[in-house]
Amino acid sequence: MNYIIKLRYALVLGAVFSSLFTLHTFANETVFSELTSSYDIIDVMPSKNSNPDIYVTCKASVDMKSDSSNDSRQIRLLPSGYNLTVLGAEYGWVYVQDDEGNTGYVYSSNVKFKNGEKPENIPAVDPLDEKRLEVVDFSKQYIGTPYVWGGTSLTAGVDCSGFVYSIYKNFGITLNRSSRGMYSGNGISVSKSELKPGDLLFFNTSGGGVSHVGMYIGNNQYIHAATVDVKISDLNDSYSQKTYVGAKRILA
């Protein structure tokens, strides 16, 4: 008799736990579907999202955090309109993944839930990047212009500072006239590893400080008025590496 009672008790408990598990699973799967039509802050226990057709879009610039707390470390700043894969949610935060595979948390009121296949995030184009390439392309047409001390004519002759001075003047930017003056008074300093086309490169070719300037054109190359004419040189060659001083960004 005791055996039968114990068996019945075990069966009842099993049914209760099974119901609770089913209810919990159902809640996890439906909470995200409901949020595609309701934009209230998620106020649920930690839940996972198993629906690949639910994603979120940043309403404005949003911090991706390492944990579901404002005090946690910032992983990255997401731009407005950025689309994220939804992995889960907890206590007002959405657990997400970006296109680079980074995972973290964004506050739910800062994103909008959407249904369907997550759109591709197209990197924003920096308009200055286009201008930098325009400056470089313009400078290349003067390869072969003779070197003339003190010269600023892109066709008749230029010295090193006169060359970059005249290139940038064509785009409405007035630089200091000497390489030393440019280095001390124009642009912002950038490291060699962060160079972009159009950046000015400075060299100590005389042993007495900055005495030469060229313009970075990409692929570890720079254009400059050398001792004979305007030409392109390799920033990684031994002479350039030995005399290199630093770089300044004019278009910033």
Side-chain angles (χ1 to χ4, degrees):
M1 187 68 176
N2 288 337
Y3 172 78
I4 295 175
I5 293 174
K6 288 180 180 180
L7 179 60
R8 287 178 177 175
Y9 182 70
L11 289 173
V12 170
L13 282 179
V16 170
F17 282 120
S18 177
S19 298
L20 289 174
F21 177 78
T22 302
L23 179 62
H24 180 36
T25 303
F26 177 76
N28 284 348
E29 291 176 348
T30 59
V31 64
F32 297 95
S33 297
E34 291 170 357
L35 280 165
T36 59
S37 57
S38 172
Y39 306 125
D40 294 333
I41 294 176
I42 302 172
D43 191 18
V44 296
M45 297 289 285
S47 305
K48 292 182 180 180
N49 175 37
S50 59
N51 186 345
D53 290 328
I54 294 179
Y55 65 98
V56 292
T57 301
C58 297
K59 296 179 181 178
S61 295
V62 178
D63 282 339
M64 179 192 281
K65 297 284 192 173
S66 60
D67 204 350
S68 55
S69 166
N70 281 320
D71 297 327
S72 61
R73 175 178 58 87
Q74 182 194 62
I75 295 175
R76 63 173 294 189
L77 181 65
L78 299 162
S80 176
Y82 192 91
N83 301 301
L84 296 153
T85 300
V86 175
L87 302 178
E90 57 181 81
Y91 310 121
W93 294 81
V94 188
Y95 185 41
V96 295
Q97 183 177 50
D98 66 14
D99 288 353
E100 286 73 47
N102 300 308
T103 58
Y105 293 82
V106 295
Y107 201 60
S108 57
S109 62
N110 295 327
V111 295
K112 183 175 182 179
F113 284 82
K114 296 183 178 180
N115 243 325
E117 184 178 353
K118 183 177 74 67
E120 180 184 0
N121 290 302
I122 301 174
V125 176
D126 184 351
L128 285 180
D129 283 342
E130 296 180 359
K131 178 62 69 175
R132 292 181 183 108
L133 294 177
E134 188 179 347
V135 170
V136 167
D137 288 342
F138 178 75
S139 71
K140 287 181 178 180
Q141 66 182 302
Y142 298 106
I143 291 174
T145 295
Y147 179 91
V148 175
W149 174 259
T152 57
S153 171
L154 292 171
T155 54
V158 289
D159 61 13
C160 66
S161 57
F163 175 63
V164 295
Y165 173 89
S166 298
I167 293 297
Y168 270 104
K169 186 177 181 180
N170 181 76
F171 292 89
I173 299 173
T174 301
L175 303 175
N176 292 334
R177 179 59 187 85
S178 68
S179 59
R180 188 167 297 187
M182 291 176 186
Y183 186 65
S184 63
N186 294 130
I188 59 173
S189 297
V190 291
S191 67
K192 204 172 188 180
S193 62
E194 297 174 330
L195 290 174
K196 292 185 177 182
D199 290 346
L200 300 186
L201 309 180
F202 297 91
F203 304 87
N204 177 4
T205 57
S206 65
V210 172
S211 56
H212 187 63
V213 61
M215 186 170 68
Y216 188 69
I217 62 172
N219 297 318
N220 290 313
Q221 294 182 318
Y222 64 103
I223 188 169
H224 60 135
T227 53
V228 177
D229 56 13
V230 174
K231 68 175 186 176
I232 292 175
S233 294
D234 189 340
L235 188 56
N236 289 330
D237 68 35
S238 58
Y239 184 75
S240 296
Q241 290 193 51
K242 180 181 178 181
T243 57
Y244 181 80
V245 174
K248 288 293 196 75
R249 180 160 298 156
I250 305 303
L251 295 172

